Amino acid sequence: MLILLQTLATGIVLAGLYSLFAIGLSLGWGLLHTINFAHFSFVLLAAYVTYELSTAAGWDPVVTMVVTAPIGALLGLGLQLFVTTFKIDVFGTLIVTFGLFLIFEAAMAMRWTADLLRLPSEINPYFTSAVRIGPIRVSMLLTIATALAVLACVGVWWLLKHTRTGRGIRAFVQEPEMAAAFGVNYPQLSLVIAGIAGATAGLTGTILGMYLSLTPTVVEVWIAVVFAVVLLGGLANPIGVMGAAFVIGMVESFTRQFADPAMARLMALVVLIIVLVFRPEGLFKRLVQEARE
Amino acid sequence: MLEVRGLHAAYGEAEVLRDVSLTVPEGRIVALLGPNGAGKTTLVKAIARLIPITAGQVSVGEVDLQRLPRHRVVEAGVAIVPEGRRLFTQMTVEENLLLGAYSHTARASLKETLALVYARFPRLEERANQRAGTLSGGEQQMLALGRGLMATPRFLLMDEPSLGLSPLLTAQMFALIEGVTELGVGVLLVEQNVARTLEIAGYGYVLEQGRIVQEGDREALLGSERIREAYLAL
Ligand SMILES: Nc1ncnc2c1ncn2[C@@H]1O[C@H](COP(=O)(O)OP(=O)(O)OP(=O)(O)O)[C@@H](O)[C@H]1O
Ligand SMILES: [Mg+2]
């Protein structure tokens, strides 16, 4: 019984990390028509920034978020300005951002070399300490990630559902011409979304900087599982992202505990494929569907 | 005064509007008649800056609409009730209305305008939280008109608002359009229902193959051979 609860708790915080990682990607794809492969680069860059500020400048790694979130936001804004200026379509953004991803990877390999960089545990107590709920223990770091994820997802949901900005964006995604005719300034609103998406990449990077041994290719193993969450969650649906991350996190946690830990990530993808065969639109619906002419 | 002068518009190579000029005064209904494919919808879209024009000018008072970014045309006082309604179908009725008042100018008086629209369309208030896409055709057309009014326009461009409505609803719709002018709003009304339209419009233009071929006040149009034969089937 205890082990079941423990596995459940681990699944929940894994889900937190995955939804924090996926929410920005989902927003960009669903609302801005940008499949931002460079999201992974933004995350890794932020992770290195956290590493540098904590080791060289002696910051508490959690506090580095005040730097990594704005860096992520600026990168998101820059990319969105580029995409709007050159009117790049969805497929085009995938190619462009994949190119960006490769450039970032090369640049980071030059700056930080291929050596493993790990925050020493004395400056990163979050990694080793745990939150106890009765007999259950969960990683302090992943608990922080989960709190951030809930904040980000619920915040974005509220923005989209209950604010004028959110209404404008949803209207534009459905009926761009009519939204513009009633005053929606999409280029401006798209920057809000791109900035938020980028900021979540920065936050994710700080968490990963504390969680992993960094190499310039370390994010690659996360690509599949994060895209799985994005696809299952329904594009730009923050609640869906949380739901999908929950499913994937649980599958992973239970596989790790009760079957083969090496299979854990793979099982998440098996779930993705099975779900997409039966429900191509994912487990959850897109927040807004485009009007089909 | 909404003024269109010497307007030309094209889709690619094909010129669809040629040297179109017309005027809509505040508080009046001006009819825009013409056969299918004449370019009426294109003209409406060109005025609202939804498609580019190749020559000419569109102005509201002193303001040249061509100089405004697309999303600011509504602030200059021009709102649209488009052909085929084009609602935000996945949003609720109320969200559609709120979106109608998205602009800075309309937002200032949002509460009063919403109350006014609900007073005119009690049906929409009953269904405030229903998704727009699930409304009946007639209700959707009312919502499209309500959304247009929410922008507190000085001029409303209405493209075939009675399309697909039953005779009873059509009569209601025309009464509502007449009601709009009591708010001081000028209406450019594109309609197939010429007989009805000429009951409420004081002035009208006939567009054929992209040109204005005839214009005049109600009596002149009703008396014209062309109108009687082609549009009234008399
Ligand atoms: N997006 C477009 N691309 C190319 N040609 C178009 C486009 N939209 C309209 N046209 C053409 O422009 C001409 C005018 O079309 P428009 O829709 O303005 O006519 P209309 O007077 O509104 O007709 P109806 O009464 O049927 O609504 C038509 O020949 C049409 O085929
Ligand atoms: Mg038309």
Side-chain angles (χ1 to χ4, degrees):
Chain A
M1 185 58 203
L2 184 60
I3 207 156
L4 204 67
L5 284 175
Q6 179 63 53
T7 314
L8 208 71
T10 306
I12 289 174
V13 290
L14 262 182
L17 179 56
Y18 289 155
S19 39
L20 185 62
F21 207 141
I23 180 71
L25 208 52
S26 179
L27 290 175
W29 193 344
L31 301 176
L32 309 178
H33 303 294
T34 302
I35 307 178
N36 183 12
F37 221 83
H39 190 78
F40 297 94
S41 315
F42 298 174
V43 168
L44 185 57
L45 179 68
Y48 275 122
V49 169
T50 291
Y51 177 85
E52 289 290 342
L53 288 176
S54 317
T55 52
W59 292 32
D60 183 313
V62 168
V63 174
T64 63
M65 283 177 190
V66 302
V67 176
T68 55
I71 289 179
L74 285 177
L75 288 168
L77 291 181
L79 176 65
Q80 181 59 27
L81 281 175
F82 182 81
V83 168
T84 328
T85 310
F86 294 98
K87 299 196 166 52
I88 303 170
D89 68 0
V90 186
F91 189 62
T93 62
L94 186 55
I95 294 168
V96 167
T97 59
F98 188 67
L100 257 180
F101 173 80
L102 296 178
I103 293 169
F104 266 93
E105 189 169 294
M108 286 189 273
M110 277 170 70
R111 172 67 182 78
W112 284 288
T113 72
D115 297 341
L116 287 177
L117 295 181
R118 183 164 194 91
L119 279 182
S121 49
E122 60 273 19
I123 54 176
N124 182 15
Y126 307 98
F127 184 71
T128 39
S129 57
V131 177
R132 287 163 199 279
I133 308 155
I136 301 165
R137 299 165 49 93
V138 284
S139 149
M140 169 75 97
L141 181 57
L142 291 186
T143 307
I144 295 172
T146 305
L148 288 173
V150 171
L151 214 68
C153 290
V154 173
V156 167
W157 173 82
W158 185 82
L159 173 86
L160 289 174
K161 275 290 190 198
H162 296 292
T163 68
R164 174 168 172 269
T165 300
R167 250 194 322 272
I169 291 166
R170 281 187 289 140
F172 193 92
V173 172
Q174 287 175 52
E175 273 283 357
E177 254 189 2
M178 280 307 115
F182 283 98
V184 174
N185 182 0
Y186 177 72
Q188 193 184 47
L189 296 189
S190 70
L191 290 180
V192 175
I193 297 297
I196 293 173
T200 63
L203 297 177
T204 310
T206 291
I207 298 291
L208 289 193
M210 299 159 76
Y211 190 58
L212 303 173
S213 299
L214 299 179
T215 72
T217 55
V218 72
V219 279
E220 285 174 9
V221 295
W222 293 72
I223 292 173
V225 73
V226 169
F227 268 108
V229 171
V230 170
L231 289 171
L232 290 180
L235 294 180
N237 178 347
I239 307 302
V241 164
M242 289 204 289
F246 181 81
V247 171
I248 299 275
M250 282 304 161
V251 169
E252 192 172 322
S253 177
F254 273 80
T255 313
R256 202 180 272 172
Q257 186 65 46
F258 297 107
D260 182 358
M263 295 273 291
R265 278 285 170 84
L266 193 65
M267 277 308 294
L269 297 184
V270 171
V271 170
L272 171 71
I273 290 166
I274 293 174
V275 171
L276 290 187
V277 165
F278 292 102
R279 283 179 66 98
E281 72 279 15
L283 288 174
F284 301 89
K285 282 204 298 201
R286 297 182 67 139
L287 188 76
V288 278
Q289 221 81 34
E290 285 126 67
R292 297 263 175 264
E293 294 278 309
Chain B
M1 202 98 106
L2 170 70
E3 258 189 296
V4 177
R5 280 187 297 273
L7 187 135
H8 290 252
Y11 292 111
E13 292 289 288
E15 184 152 72
V16 177
L17 295 176
R18 300 184 184 88
D19 196 24
V20 173
S21 299
L22 59 78
T23 310
V24 183
E26 261 134 349
R28 300 286 170 75
I29 299 176
V30 171
L32 180 62
L33 311 174
N36 293 118
K40 304 181 297 293
T41 297
T42 307
L43 179 55
V44 163
K45 284 185 172 180
I47 294 173
R49 290 228 36 210
L50 297 179
I51 57 166
I53 66 176
T54 47
Q57 209 186 14
V58 181
S59 57
V60 171
E62 298 292 291
V63 184
D64 180 354
L65 297 191
Q66 288 301 312
R67 286 170 190 246
L68 299 177
R70 190 164 74 155
H71 67 273
R72 310 213 37 191
V73 167
V74 66
E75 291 171 20
V78 176
I80 183 167
V81 180
E83 188 175 50
R85 310 187 263 266
R86 306 198 38 197
L87 298 170
F88 306 110
T89 50
Q90 297 169 65
M91 292 163 69
T92 65
V93 168
E94 184 144 313
E95 282 179 326
N96 271 269
L97 293 174
L98 293 178
L99 206 287
Y102 186 88
S103 73
H104 291 288
T105 41
R107 199 153 53 119
S109 54
L110 177 85
K111 282 220 172 78
E112 299 83 66
T113 329
L114 189 64
L116 184 138
V117 167
Y118 277 152
R120 270 171 203 248
F121 306 95
R123 215 25 188 283
L124 295 183
E125 186 163 22
E126 284 164 28
R127 300 182 177 268
N129 295 316
Q130 189 172 327
R131 273 184 20 172
T134 62
L135 293 177
S136 76
E139 289 163 347
Q140 290 196 14
Q141 194 63 63
M142 287 179 191
L143 180 53
L145 176 53
R147 180 180 64 177
L149 290 175
M150 288 298 296
T152 56
R154 289 162 67 193
F155 300 96
L156 200 52
L157 313 172
M158 301 189 69
D159 197 348
E160 309 216 15
S162 77
L163 195 70
L165 301 190
S166 70
L168 184 66
L169 275 178
T170 302
Q172 268 181 30
M173 183 52 77
F174 275 91
L176 285 166
I177 296 169
E178 237 183 332
V180 167
T181 60
E182 290 158 18
L183 304 168
V185 177
V187 177
L188 181 65
L189 179 58
V190 176
E191 258 300 336
Q192 301 285 351
N193 193 333
V194 174
R196 268 244 138 79
T197 302
L198 289 180
E199 283 171 21
I200 62 171
Y203 201 87
Y205 295 83
V206 180
L207 191 70
E208 283 181 10
Q209 295 180 1
R211 289 177 194 281
I212 302 283
V213 295
Q214 190 175 358
E215 65 177 283
D217 58 20
R218 174 192 308 149
E219 288 70 31
L221 290 176
L222 283 172
S224 124
E225 276 302 306
R226 189 204 299 264
I227 301 280
R228 294 169 69 84
E229 278 173 19
Y231 300 104
L232 295 173
L234 294 178

